[in-house]
Amino acid sequence: MMASSRMILARRRWAPAGLGFCTLLVLVSASLGVQPVYYAANRTAYPLVRSTNELFVMCQTEDGGQAALAANNLGLGRFEAVPLVNWPHCAILKVPSVTRAVRDAARKLPGVKSVRPVYRFSINHAGGVPAPRDVPVFSSGTAVVRLRGGVADAERDQMFTDYGIRLVEVFAGLPDTYIVEPVGDPDEDEVRVAAALHVDGRVLYAHANIISPYTTRQTAPPPQDPIYPRQWHLNNTGQDGAVAGSDIDAPEAWGLGMGQNVRVGLLDSGVDILHEDLMGNYSGIGQDASNGGSDPRPQQPDENHGTAVIGLICAAANNLGVRGVAPLANFAASRGIGLPVTDAQLASAFTFARAQNVDVHNNSWGPGIPNAIPNSPIIEDAIRTAFQQGRDPDGPSGPMPARGMVVLFASGNDYSEIMPGFDYATMDEVIGVGATDAADFRSAYSNYGGFLDVVAPSGADAEQEILGLNLPGLVTTDVTDSAGGATNGYNSGGFCLPPVCGPDAVPDLPNSKYHLFFSGTSGACPVASGVAALVVGINPILTARQVRVIMEHTAQKVSPMDAQYDAVTSRSLRYGYGRVNAHLAAMAAKDSTTNGGFTWPEPPGNISVMNNRLSWSFGDQDTDKVMVVESNAVIQWIPTDDTLYMVGQEVQTGVFVRKISLNDPGDQFFQFAQTTGTTYFGLFAIGKTLPPPPPPAPPPPIRYSFGVLVNSQGVVVGAGPSAGGAGSTPVTIAPSMPAVTITANPLFGNSPLTVQFHGNALTDSPITSVRWDFDDGTMSDTATVTHTYTVTNGTTQRFIATFTVTDSDSDSSSRSIAIDVTDTSNAGGGGGTNEPPPDSSVRIVVGTPGTVGSNVDSGVAPFTAELSLDTSNLQGSLTSVSWDLGDGTRATSLSVLHVFTAPGIYPITATVTTQTNPSTTMQVTTTRLITVEPGLAGNGNVNRNSGFRLPPASTGGGAPCGVGMLALFASLAGLALMRRRW
């Protein structure tokens, strides 16, 4: 039953479980004054609201001062800094109203590189009607599409043609993943086309390639030099007001290993790879995710963060400055955080790291505002793929399986609970890291929750320091003048913490290459990453899951009164499994080298109860059985390693062992007796071991997982979810999904434009309903239908018509096609009172060679077209012509003979210069679209040997959707809103 419900959720993609086809139509088509658009993530559709008075401006130069001054002088609007981040060459242009004329005027401002729309997510985690939150995200003009396996190239090309998009880039590192952009779309609206693509049965996911304000996770540092003796987090003897022992026992771990032959990666701001304490460990491998370059050094002011982070992980053991947790590890660096980068650019850092065989990847960054922006599917995909396929030096066809990249994320500094799906630290494949201070208490700022894995030392909360606790921050590397950018570093000779400022500022280290006050979960995460690097270095064959489990099981249960660790799960909502301990983790890694590579297993997952039957699955391959204990009261017990338990044994008063099940699909359940009260069950996986040696040799160790506590009603009890289990990999859509095909003719033309639509489908079950959504507020329940589009005010508008089919199994599948409609009446100007009408004095004529007077809109690849200009209405004498043929080809002759080799929609643009008198010239630009269809394949239809086919004029039987269903979706999709900042 559980697997079935998950499959239905995956089939419907962004409809919440339990809602049917009708709700899906509400999501795609409901209108509250304007047509909504959606960003699909976490199998949910998040509404995006497009700003009507803001534009995102990127300038060629860093300050954009000329553009801002010109905008002000022209009365166009005012430039404002992008909130949450420091992007010197970017700004938000506030205008009275966003129109085409305003966008065009903004593009012409001096020094402007691009002008794009501004969006805000409309998310209400408390339920009810969603409302926009004041966190801007920005259009890049592109979208991300990952197709399901098996889509042929010809079908893909036709699919892109149908949607009115062109291929910009094949995304390296993820299969069947593409960056695309709309062709000739006057609204530059990649969000709408991505939303339509997402519900296409051939697509795994699609979303706008947005630019989000991701920021580093350092707090305002607490006050408190040479320098290793001051690194209390490595070896705490009570220096600088710290509490002795509140450290990770690094010197003890170094006797077993120091990160030899381990490569650490990080995605952060720029890194000073020429720093005296870092250059010896730099692998020479770098990436700038913002521009595709290979230089990871700082390039703009305030790029200090990455240098401080990598120093905590692997500053060298070279008798200089400080020392990292894994001082013999080498590192690769990706620059991108703190810059206006897209989802795909951030995802490229993980595919880059995987290609460079990075073992451990640190991420001390996250969203700029909590719970406002859902995790990007392509970033999640890249992280998940790195976790599953990373650390594979033999390649996918090699003799050894991939061991997986260990990925860590800082949990954030917002005094708030981590929310699944809105922070990468919550992913199953990620180790989420919180922070403790030098007294072994959770730093007050450190985010918490059931998905937090471990905590690690960092600075105290700035507000606590004001109260006089005087706990030290982390000592680490700081950028130097050799960094290559306009960055002075954190260490400016002094430190001021309000209200103690001015002459009372606490001084930083005298050596400006190092910094005394680094803090936040940004500091805790690299400390934990260093521990992971020690573990991998001691036993390189450990998988990423095993590394995580070792770190969790060897974490110390610090501050138990504050933490309140759960007796069964061993997890605390505030501290995860505890504070990482490098020495204990290193010893466990060493032990695993003599135990066949086995270590602790992950807890059982997919726990369910039905008809007095308790069932489960296993989180990993390090287990071969599970133990079930039962009690009539809430269980407060966990098994002890190296202890053998028997069925029927009373392990604690009232707690009995009821079953020890083999790791066999036929033996992964327990049938319990029905009672009138509530019964509680604890489930613990038992780790695999080597076969017992002959006596008198001691038996191999027995390792138990942390537990999962569930009651007889199927309610999981305790601190947070199980660390393992299912749900981390995408669920494949069943082959019984309806295979939808559509046609439309014509694809573009003048308003009013009448289009003939025809939808069809093959499915293994009877079709119960069909629906066309014409993207203009109207729908039809008829498969073959004509529809007339009307636009006004001289505009060109793109409509994405979607055809959805549902069968008797409640399986739905959709296809979409783009229709472009132009108004040539010039009435009222173009798209708004300030917009000029399109120029009609020049017209592009598309003919076929050898014919006289032909004028066509399309052809079959390879398509030879004769392009010419009708200039009969042009004023003045023609002096020059410039062509852009839409496929990268340019020409300057009056007529052009050109071959379009690939299928697609090509915007043909001609710019004509005329002279009306000796001193006056004028430029006129006109555009026309040409559709080139595949020469061999049709429209990518899926053919099957048998099944139900939609009759030519079938009418759907589904009931229309109402406003009540929209409210139901909003209510069910709501999540608890918790305040968080970083």
Side-chain angles (χ1 to χ4, degrees):
M1 175 65 77
M2 193 167 205
S4 174
S5 65
R6 286 175 65 247
M7 184 66 71
I8 291 173
L9 177 62
R11 289 172 182 172
R12 293 174 183 167
R13 243 80 67 81
W14 60 18
L19 300 187
F21 173 64
C22 188
T23 303
L24 179 64
L25 290 177
V26 170
L27 285 173
V28 174
S29 305
S31 178
L32 297 175
V34 295
Q35 195 76 3
V37 292
Y38 294 91
Y39 179 95
N42 312 318
R43 295 182 180 143
T44 305
Y46 296 101
L48 271 173
V49 178
R50 186 169 177 171
S51 176
T52 59
N53 67 340
E54 296 171 302
L55 291 167
F56 178 56
V57 179
M58 298 183 70
C59 296
Q60 301 284 359
T61 57
E62 286 192 347
D63 56 19
Q66 286 185 305
L69 182 63
N72 182 66
N73 291 340
L74 292 171
L76 187 63
R78 70 180 188 277
F79 274 27
E80 294 184 355
V82 178
L84 309 175
V85 292
N86 179 20
W87 293 348
H89 58 295
C90 300
I92 292 178
L93 176 60
K94 292 275 192 176
V95 297
S97 178
V98 173
T99 65
R100 187 185 307 172
V102 168
R103 291 197 302 269
D104 290 345
R107 292 187 182 102
K108 295 176 182 178
L109 294 173
V112 167
K113 181 179 179 181
S114 65
V115 179
R116 308 294 315 166
V118 176
Y119 294 91
R120 283 173 175 79
F121 279 98
S122 181
I123 299 171
N124 186 341
H125 297 289
V129 178
R133 303 197 64 198
D134 197 24
V135 184
V137 297
F138 309 109
S139 162
S140 70
T142 60
V144 175
V145 183
R146 179 168 179 181
L147 303 181
R148 298 185 180 275
V151 178
D153 290 351
E155 182 178 2
R156 176 202 63 200
D157 295 342
Q158 181 61 48
M159 177 183 182
F160 289 176
T161 298
D162 290 344
Y163 282 92
I165 55 179
R166 64 154 67 95
L167 176 63
V168 175
E169 176 188 346
V170 177
F171 187 83
L174 297 177
D176 306 309
T177 304
Y178 308 95
I179 310 300
V180 298
E181 66 180 0
V183 175
D185 185 355
D187 288 331
E188 303 170 318
D189 199 349
E190 75 279 8
V191 179
R192 293 174 61 250
V193 71
L197 279 162
H198 185 77
V199 296
D200 191 303
R202 298 164 292 181
V203 174
L204 186 63
Y205 60 78
H207 61 86
N209 191 21
I210 59 176
I211 300 171
S212 302
Y214 288 110
T215 63
T216 57
R217 287 182 154 172
Q218 184 197 10
T219 66
Q224 277 318 300
D225 58 9
I227 302 175
Y228 165 69
R230 302 196 66 167
Q231 293 186 273
W232 60 268
H233 65 284
L234 300 176
N235 186 29
N236 193 336
T237 61
Q239 64 270 52
D240 293 332
V243 176
S246 302
D247 57 55
I248 65 170
D249 290 340
E252 294 88 340
W254 292 337
L256 298 172
M258 302 178 74
Q260 298 94 322
N261 303 313
V262 175
R263 177 165 293 164
V264 175
L266 82 162
L267 172 58
D268 214 293
S269 64
V271 172
D272 182 3
I273 56 177
L274 300 181
H275 191 286
E276 63 180 15
D277 228 356
L278 300 176
M279 61 188 303
N281 283 343
Y282 180 51
S283 64
I285 298 170
Q287 179 215 28
D288 190 331
S290 70
N291 58 25
S294 58
D295 186 354
R297 293 179 297 170
Q299 301 296 322
Q300 66 180 30
D302 300 323
E303 278 197 82
N304 312 320
H305 192 267
T307 303
V309 166
I310 198 62
L312 290 168
I313 302 174
C314 59
N318 56 4
N319 298 321
L320 292 172
V322 296
R323 178 175 288 196
V325 177
L328 296 187
N330 68 82
F331 71 92
S334 290
R335 173 179 180 260
I337 302 303
L339 304 173
V341 290
T342 65
D343 290 347
Q345 288 173 318
L346 289 176
S348 74
F350 296 95
T351 57
F352 170 80
R354 180 161 57 91
Q356 304 304 326
N357 284 317
V358 163
D359 299 289
V360 177
H361 200 277
N362 186 87
N363 300 273
S364 292
W365 55 273
I369 288 290
N371 309 325
I373 303 174
N375 289 350
S376 161
I378 192 173
I379 296 177
E380 283 197 340
D381 196 2
I383 293 170
R384 185 173 296 116
T385 304
F387 176 80
Q388 295 168 346
Q389 301 178 20
R391 294 173 60 220
D392 190 12
D394 297 325
S397 59
M400 296 293 291
R403 301 178 186 107
M405 188 188 304
V406 185
V407 182
L408 300 92
F409 266 83
S411 68
N413 313 318
D414 313 299
Y415 305 83
S416 298
E417 185 173 1
I418 297 176
M419 183 167 290
F422 287 82
D423 198 303
Y424 300 106
T426 65
M427 291 181 63
D428 287 344
E429 297 80 8
V430 164
I431 300 175
V433 184
T436 52
D437 59 27
D440 254 349
F441 282 92
R442 180 179 70 92
S443 300
Y445 55 76
S446 181
N447 289 348
Y448 55 88
F451 290 84
L452 184 70
D453 292 291
V454 293
V455 291
S458 188
D461 180 64
E463 295 173 7
Q464 293 175 330
E465 296 308 310
I466 294 173
L467 297 176
L469 296 183
N470 298 321
L471 293 173
L474 297 176
V475 185
T476 186
T477 47
D478 200 6
V479 295
T480 63
D481 292 338
S482 63
T487 299
N488 295 321
Y490 291 115
N491 189 343
S492 59
F495 175 73
C496 179
L497 184 66
V500 186
C501 293
D504 297 321
V506 178
D508 206 331
L509 293 169
N511 185 343
S512 64
K513 297 176 183 177
Y514 301 91
H515 177 49
L516 191 58
F517 308 122
F518 201 66
S519 185
T521 55
S522 274
C525 191
V527 173
S529 291
V531 175
L534 295 180
V535 170
V536 173
I538 292 169
N539 187 357
I541 71 169
L542 291 169
T543 67
R545 287 186 183 275
Q546 290 173 323
V547 173
R548 179 178 68 190
V549 168
I550 284 176
M551 292 177 65
E552 292 171 345
H553 276 262
T554 59
Q556 291 188 274
K557 306 296 187 189
V558 298
S559 302
M561 296 299 291
D562 181 50
Q564 299 181 30
Y565 299 99
D566 186 86
V568 174
T569 68
S570 286
R571 205 168 195 169
S572 162
L573 292 174
R574 300 180 180 91
Y575 291 75
Y577 292 105
R579 193 244 302 129
V580 294
N581 184 283
H583 185 214
L584 296 178
M587 289 196 299
K590 184 70 173 179
D591 290 344
S592 69
T593 63
T594 61
N595 190 34
F598 298 128
T599 182
W600 291 275
E602 291 196 325
N606 282 339
I607 312 296
S608 66
V609 175
M610 182 174 292
N611 299 324
N612 293 348
R613 183 184 175 105
L614 175 67
S615 60
W616 59 84
S617 66
F618 290 90
D620 61 22
Q621 301 302 311
D622 275 354
T623 179
D624 54 11
K625 54 183 68 74
V626 67
M627 179 169 66
V628 181
V629 300
E630 179 182 3
S631 177
N632 292 327
V634 175
I635 298 170
Q636 302 285 320
W637 178 85
I638 192 169
T640 302
D641 286 343
D642 299 328
T643 302
L644 183 63
Y645 300 94
M646 307 298 292
V647 174
Q649 179 179 353
E650 187 176 18
V651 295
Q652 190 183 62
T653 303
V655 180
F656 297 88
V657 177
R658 294 304 188 196
K659 185 178 181 69
I660 296 179
S661 168
L662 298 177
N663 186 2
D664 184 319
D667 193 29
Q668 291 179 194
F669 65 91
F670 170 59
Q671 194 76 39
F672 57 89
Q674 185 172 1
T675 63
T676 56
T678 299
T679 307
Y680 294 88
F681 303 96
L683 288 81
F684 307 90
I686 306 174
K688 289 182 179 179
T689 64
L690 292 173
I702 301 173
R703 300 284 179 86
Y704 293 94
S705 75
F706 296 128
V708 180
L709 180 60
V710 62
N711 64 25
S712 50
Q713 283 75 49
V715 177
V716 176
V717 184
S722 138
S728 62
T729 56
V731 179
T732 305
I733 287 185
S736 61
M737 292 288 293
V740 176
T741 61
I742 58 176
T743 59
N745 185 53
L747 298 177
F748 54 87
N750 295 332
S751 176
L753 180 68
T754 299
V755 181
Q756 177 78 29
F757 290 98
H758 177 65
N760 205 347
L762 285 172
T763 179
D764 296 332
S765 303
I767 295 169
T768 57
S769 66
V770 300
R771 178 158 293 189
W772 278 102
D773 179 349
F774 299 115
D775 196 27
D776 62 354
T778 59
M779 300 182 186
S780 173
D781 292 337
T782 302
T784 299
V785 63
T786 58
H787 181 71
T788 300
Y789 289 99
T790 303
V791 298
T792 58
N793 298 328
T795 60
T796 296
Q797 187 171 343
R798 169 160 295 175
F799 299 92
I800 301 175
T802 301
F803 182 66
T804 303
V805 174
T806 302
D807 62 23
S808 59
D809 294 329
S810 298
D811 292 329
S812 296
S813 191
S814 301
R815 292 277 177 97
S816 300
I817 195 164
I819 309 294
D820 290 308
V821 184
T822 302
D823 173 47
T824 59
S825 66
N826 296 338
T833 57
N834 295 323
E835 298 190 29
D839 195 281
S840 58
S841 59
V842 177
R843 186 170 62 93
I844 296 174
V845 179
V846 182
T848 53
T851 62
V852 178
S854 64
N855 190 6
V856 298
D857 293 323
S858 61
V860 176
F863 174 49
T864 302
E866 187 172 25
L867 309 173
S868 59
L869 292 171
D870 179 358
T871 60
S872 56
N873 294 326
L874 192 66
Q875 296 181 354
S877 57
L878 188 145
T879 59
S880 67
V881 177
S882 175
W883 293 88
D884 182 344
L885 304 184
D887 60 357
T889 305
R890 299 183 180 277
T892 57
S893 56
L894 186 60
S895 62
V896 179
L897 190 66
H898 184 66
V899 180
F900 295 91
T901 58
I905 301 176
Y906 296 92
I908 312 300
T909 301
T911 300
V912 176
T913 303
T914 62
Q915 191 163 7
T916 55
N917 60 56
S919 61
T920 303
T921 60
M922 181 177 67
Q923 275 194 344
V924 175
T925 298
T926 186
T927 300
R928 178 170 177 174
L929 299 178
I930 293 179
T931 301
V932 180
E933 299 181 0
L936 297 177
N939 65 347
N941 295 354
V942 178
N943 295 314
R944 299 186 182 176
N945 294 327
S946 62
F948 293 89
R949 181 182 296 274
L950 195 65
S954 174
T955 303
C961 299
V963 176
M965 292 302 295
L966 179 62
L968 177 61
F969 163 70
S971 175
L972 293 180
L975 297 172
L977 175 63
M978 298 295 292
R979 178 182 173 271
R980 186 173 65 177
R981 63 172 176 80
W982 51 84

